[in-house]
Amino acid sequence: ETGVTQTPRHLVMGMTNKKSLKCEQHLGHNAMYWYKQSAKKPLELMFVYNFKEQTENNSVPSRFSPECPNSSHLFLHLHTLQPEDSALYLCASSQERVETQYFGPGTRLLVL
Amino acid sequence: AQKVTQAQTEISVVEKEDVTLDCVYETRDTTYYLFWYKQPPSGELVFLIRRNSFDEQNEISGRYSWNFQKSTSSFNFTITASQVVDSAVYFCALLSGTYKYIFGTGTRLKVLA
C-alpha cells in the first residue's frame, strides 16, 4: 500500500448506528487530518493530529469522535449521526503542519 | 482575514482548447504557501503544485502551467490542449500563519470530446 488509504470507501448507516472510519498513511508523516466535504460547500477541516496529539477541533459535534493511536493511523468514530452529516470524509497527512497535505480517496457516508 | 476565491464555479471547454482557472487569495502574512489540487469523480484530492510566497517564478509541467502574481494576489492555473481526462473539480488552497489550509470552493472543469 502506498500513500493514504481510507476504509470503507462507502458507508450507509442509520441514525442509531455506531461505525468507524479508518485512515492509514504510509508516507512517514507526523500530522493527520479529517475533513468533511459536503455538496456545494468548501472543504471543512474537522480535526488535526500532530505527533498523535490533537491540536485542532473545529467545533465539531461530539457525535464525531477522533482517535489517533499512532502517527500512521487515524480513526473517526461515528454515533447517532444526523442526515445532514452525509458527506465525503477525507483524511490527509503531511510531514509537518506547514508541509503539503496528501489526501486519501475518502469515505462517502450516507446517513438515513 | 484569510480567504481563497475561485470565482468560476463551472467551466466547459471542448477538447484541445486551453483553459485558465482563476484563484485569488487574501492574507496578511508575508510567508504563505499556495496549492492546487485536482479532485476527479473518484473523490481523492490529487496534489498538483505548491508555491511559497517568496517564489514568484511561473512553473510549467507538461500541459499544466501556473502564474503566480503577488501584485494581484492571484495564482492562476492553465491547462493547455485540454483532454477529457482533465475533467475534475480543481481546488486552490492557501496555507499561512494559522497552519490551516484555506480552500476555495473549487472550479468544476468539463472537457467535452
Side-chain angles (χ1 to χ4, degrees):
Chain A
E1 294 276 14
T2 57
V4 181
T5 58
Q6 289 186 244
T7 54
R9 294 294 310 277
H10 301 271
L11 179 62
V12 179
M13 60 187 288
M15 290 190 284
T16 57
N17 291 158
K18 287 185 181 181
K19 296 285 184 184
S20 295
L21 309 185
K22 179 183 176 183
C23 174
E24 185 172 0
Q25 58 97 358
H26 309 269
L27 301 168
H29 290 167
N30 296 313
M32 297 187 77
Y33 312 79
W34 278 117
Y35 286 87
K36 176 183 178 182
Q37 187 178 28
S38 306
K40 301 181 181 178
K41 281 188 177 181
L43 272 80
E44 301 172 56
L45 179 64
M46 300 175 72
F47 301 103
V48 181
Y49 278 81
N50 198 29
F51 291 96
K52 302 188 300 178
E53 299 298 320
Q54 186 179 127
T55 57
E56 195 99 22
N57 176 339
N58 276 351
S59 304
V60 180
S62 59
R63 57 187 185 268
F64 295 92
S65 174
E67 178 189 1
C68 188
N70 54 60
S71 293
S72 299
H73 293 86
L74 184 63
F75 295 90
L76 188 62
H77 304 299
L78 317 171
H79 62 97
T80 59
L81 294 191
Q82 305 297 312
E84 59 264 29
D85 297 322
S86 298
L88 178 68
Y89 289 85
L90 291 160
C91 174
S93 71
S94 63
Q95 181 59 40
E96 303 289 345
R97 290 293 305 277
V98 294
E99 297 295 327
T100 301
Q101 291 183 18
Y102 292 89
F103 286 79
T107 295
R108 292 193 184 276
L109 174 66
L110 177 61
V111 182
L112 302 176
Chain B
Q2 296 173 18
K3 189 178 176 182
V4 174
T5 301
Q6 294 180 256
Q8 304 151 308
T9 305
E10 185 168 314
I11 301 175
S12 291
V13 298
V14 177
E15 208 170 17
K16 299 184 183 176
E17 284 185 1
D18 298 347
V19 58
T20 295
L21 309 182
D22 298 332
C23 174
V24 174
Y25 63 92
E26 293 177 31
T27 180
R28 293 181 180 174
D29 294 318
T30 54
T31 300
Y32 53 89
Y33 305 88
L34 296 164
F35 304 82
W36 275 96
Y37 285 85
K38 173 183 179 180
Q39 187 176 38
S42 59
E44 178 177 354
L45 267 77
V46 178
F47 166 69
L48 295 177
I49 190 171
R50 165 192 169 108
R51 178 62 80 226
N52 74 53
S53 53
F54 300 108
D55 182 2
E56 281 193 78
Q57 276 194 335
N58 292 327
E59 181 155 338
I60 297 175
S61 176
R63 296 184 296 107
Y64 294 171
S65 62
W66 290 269
N67 183 3
F68 177 28
Q69 292 198 349
K70 288 177 77 170
S71 60
T72 56
S73 297
S74 64
F75 186 43
N76 296 337
F77 173 30
T78 297
I79 302 174
T80 303
S82 59
Q83 299 176 2
V84 172
V85 293
D86 296 326
S87 298
V89 181
Y90 290 86
F91 290 94
C92 180
L94 165 70
L95 177 65
S96 61
T98 60
Y99 301 119
K100 285 186 194 180
Y101 266 43
I102 306 297
F103 282 91
T105 50
T107 296
R108 181 177 299 277
L109 174 65
K110 292 184 178 180
V111 181
L112 308 172

